[in-house]
Amino acid sequence: VQLQASGGGLVQAGGSLSLSCTASGRAGIRNVRGWFRQAPGKEREFVASIDSFDNMAAYADSVKGRFTISGDSAKVTVYLHLNSLKPEDTAVYYCASERYPGTHVNNYDVWGQGTQVTVSS
């Protein structure tokens, strides 16, 4: 399976964006898909994840209440809706497929190419 992320862009603080992560190749699609982000000079960090089996979602404290993760019933596309954006949300956002339960980058083994989100103040 391959993951393709899209939807990034430039937005003013307080604005919104929606990201998409589409899986190609039905073989190997797993239930849990997550979003991570990496700002310049910083480590890649967990943002949100969703389990398509029961739609259970998890969020990093820094985005809780502002970002929403969702997925389609076919488990092909996962979305991340970013609201009330702040300059500190600026980063490259990656989607990934979970291999082992957890929020660490090492728990995910299939990664999309990343999409840039830039929030201006």
Side-chain angles (χ1 to χ4, degrees), residues 9-119:
L10 173 64
V11 64
Q12 288 188 330
S16 300
L17 279 175
S18 290
L19 308 181
S20 299
C21 174
T22 300
S24 60
R26 293 289 296 175
I29 292 181
R30 303 194 189 103
N31 284 338
V32 179
R33 199 105 43 98
W35 286 95
F36 289 73
R37 66 186 182 186
Q38 187 166 17
K42 294 188 176 181
E43 293 186 351
R44 192 170 298 187
E45 63 176 3
F46 172 80
V47 175
S49 66
I50 187 166
D51 188 332
S52 61
F53 178 74
D54 56 9
N55 281 327
M56 186 70 69
Y59 297 94
D61 288 343
S62 59
V63 307
K64 204 171 291 184
R66 300 188 298 121
F67 292 7
T68 303
I69 190 169
S70 63
D72 65 11
S73 58
K75 298 196 293 184
V76 174
T77 302
V78 171
Y79 305 94
L80 185 67
H81 305 286
L82 296 72
N83 298 309
S84 302
L85 281 161
K86 305 174 182 179
E88 51 263 43
D89 294 317
T90 295
V92 178
Y93 284 69
Y94 298 89
C95 63
S97 176
E98 184 191 68
R99 182 169 186 184
Y100 304 110
T103 59
H104 194 275
V105 292
N106 292 339
N107 292 83
Y108 290 74
D109 65 342
V110 179
W111 293 83
Q113 85 286 6
T115 184
Q116 176 72 45
V117 172
T118 303
V119 184

